[in-house]
């Protein structure tokens, strides 16, 4: 049961099952590792909108790994215990043209820096968000040979952006190649279910993971266990909720977020851009019903406790 | 600030803004009312699958109302405080051919009775579900003249099936006709976000509501405040989560629920039909991300605390 360390000095920016592992471990071993932020270190706590607009793009998320787990074989399940996630005191959120749920309605780039204290984050003095760090990307090498972008998640995991993969959670991933070849990155200090503007609180993290195998236990796609959904503090003042009905779930989602942005602008004195950022980092999307044909409902939940 | 009582003896089974109110109240008044279950009283705690299959169908939800609120005008917001919801010790869940998220995979009808204690429900001795009663249907008369089925929700509210409209919540509805003409029904003792098999724990309820007006405050669609999403008991043992990725959110949803049914059958000794019922009454659908093109992720959350 060794403990290993893997720095963020070497990263890979695509999925490719022919990549050589940086580290090979035994089942039961723990790895403490560093993940770069999604900008690959280009942005800092002092960055501006101009820095955000001028950063290099086009390459994928910088991922720490691959880590090979001895004995892992296709058809096994890789068990990843998420033991600890630590931020480094800052993060950023931004959106850019052509990306995000409401790309057509936000044609200009926007960018903000978050100051992160121990377990709270802020980008305006009147907003304090409870932090719940997780890695947006966790995955194993895909089954198919070749080079794949990191942006879209798939059966091997990858850029899942599931906000409840927090400390204390356990992720189950199907194994497709010998050794599994696990990689991780895209740390978020907080994010709402949906990540609607395309980014959470993007942050470099220090991550502690422990790995196990479940031989010959096949999963079709990633599954996980999470111990808690909401802290008592996050629930403390209830939730304001907007709803959107439509015959298409994506359109339901757009309506619910549009109404939430209007609500935040009107009642909480935010700009439309700040409201969109807050929807992406703090508002949770739930599918309220998918059976009352022809109209489904998606609802957007805003925790009232974030307003100081 | 009068308190009124409205029995469930007279109901209406469609939306129609020409219906005469059964009760006219002032803003600030409270109404205690009875709602019939979705079968319109055809089913009882002793009903069988055969009774379920042979019940009359084709008519809409039986709704208690309309209630006119004096002074309500188009363009106002009707505020509905949900003060109390009480079940009557029993409920039912069922699905039938052609209806529900996985209609093609469940071609036969299925039906079960729930025994409801104070705040817990059970349809098998090894499952105890925390109850969180709410009304599946709450709405005002629609803007358009004519007769409309109750099944699909719309801007006037209606069959929203939003599980967090529980005791202590406040619903905000746009008013379309003078008096608003509020109606309510389709009580559920519990339901998961999604209501995937098409029914929750369908139950007759006693409901206490208080009404207010916000003049000339227009909402495009219903919005609400809810004080709590999950009780400490519901969170107590964490959540097992399945995920589904796809380029279509509905297909994401189907995959996540299919995987959850497989999980429940394999690890909790349920039949596929019982698992589908449990997904509809206890499992919550969240949109994890809608931005990592071309693959979105919907996740299905199972509270582990329901297993005795």
């Amino acid at each position: 049961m060794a403990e290993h360390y893997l720095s963020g000095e070497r990263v890979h920016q695509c999925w490719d099952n022919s990549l050589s592992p940086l580290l090979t471990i035994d089942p039961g071993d723990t790895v403490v590792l560093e993940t770069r932020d999604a900008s690959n270190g280009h942005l800092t706590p002092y960055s501006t909108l101009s820095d955000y607009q001028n950063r290099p793009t086009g390459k994928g998320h910088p991922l720490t790994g691959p880590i090979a787990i001895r004995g892992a074989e296709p058809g096994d399940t890789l068990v990843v215990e998420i033991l600890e996630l630590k931020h480094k005191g800052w993060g950023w959120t931004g959106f850019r043209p052509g990306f995000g749920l409401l790309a057509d309605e936000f044609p200009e780039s926007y960018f903000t820096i978050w100051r992160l204290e121990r377990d709270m984050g802020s980008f305006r003095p009147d907003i304090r968000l409870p932090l719940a760090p997780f890695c947006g990307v966790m995955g194993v090498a895909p089954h198919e040979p070749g080079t794949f972008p990191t942006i879209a998640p798939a059966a091997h995991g990858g850029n899942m952006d599931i906000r409840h993969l927090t400390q204390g959670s356990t992720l189950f991933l199907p194994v497709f190649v010998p050794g599994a070849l696990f990689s991780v990155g895209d740390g978020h200090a907080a994010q709402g279910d949906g990540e609607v503007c395309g980014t959470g609180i993007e942050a470099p993290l220090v991550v502690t993971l422990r790995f196990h195998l479940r031989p010959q236990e096949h999963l079709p796609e990633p599954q996980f266990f999470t111990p808690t959904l909401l802290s008592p503090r996050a629930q403390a003042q209830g939730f304001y909720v907007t709803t959107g009905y439509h015959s298409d779930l994506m359109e339901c989602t757009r309506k619910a977020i549009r109404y939430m942005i209007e609500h935040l602008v009107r009642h909480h004195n935010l700009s439309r851009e700040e409201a969109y950022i807050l929807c992406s980092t703090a508002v949770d999307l739930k599918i309220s019903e998918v059976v009352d044909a022809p109209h489904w409902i998606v609802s957007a939940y805003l925790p009232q406790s974030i307003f100081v």
Side-chain angles (χ1 to χ4, degrees), chain A residues 1-6 23 25-26 28-33 83-84 207-210:
Chain A
M1 310 299 170
E3 181 171 305
H4 309 267
Y5 174 76
L6 194 55
L23 178 68
I25 66 169
D26 287 312
D29 284 1
T30 298
V31 182
V32 179
L33 55 85
L83 299 181
E84 191 175 50
V207 181
T208 306
L209 304 173
R210 186 160 54 208

Side-chain angles (χ1 to χ4, degrees), chain A residues 48-179:
Chain A
T48 62
L49 173 61
S50 166
D51 296 325
Y52 176 65
Q53 289 172 311
N54 295 323
R55 77 196 187 288
T57 57
K59 285 195 165 185
H61 300 87
L63 302 182
T64 303
I67 299 168
I69 294 86
R70 277 193 197 91
E73 290 294 336
D76 295 350
T77 290
L78 178 65
V79 179
V80 185
E81 285 184 86
I82 300 159
L83 299 181
E84 191 175 50
L85 295 146
K86 287 194 290 192
H87 63 73
K88 296 181 176 178
W90 74 284
W92 60 270
T93 306
F95 55 83
R96 55 189 168 87
F99 196 70
L101 179 72
L102 300 180
D104 294 346
E105 297 158 47
F106 288 90
E108 306 286 339
S109 288
Y110 189 83
F111 175 76
T112 193
I113 292 284
W114 292 75
R115 177 175 174 164
L116 310 181
E117 291 159 37
R118 199 179 134 75
D119 57 358
M120 299 296 272
S122 190
F123 75 102
R124 280 171 54 119
D126 55 350
I127 290 176
R128 281 170 60 81
L129 207 60
L131 301 181
F134 69 98
C135 293
V137 177
M138 286 193 278
V140 293
H143 178 251
E144 301 77 10
T147 293
F148 300 94
T150 63
I151 187 70
H156 70 109
N159 189 28
M160 300 185 289
D161 285 323
I162 298 174
R163 86 175 195 81
H164 294 109
L165 287 168
T166 45
Q167 190 165 303
S169 299
T170 303
L171 174 63
F172 306 99
L173 290 168
V175 175
F176 294 103
V177 301

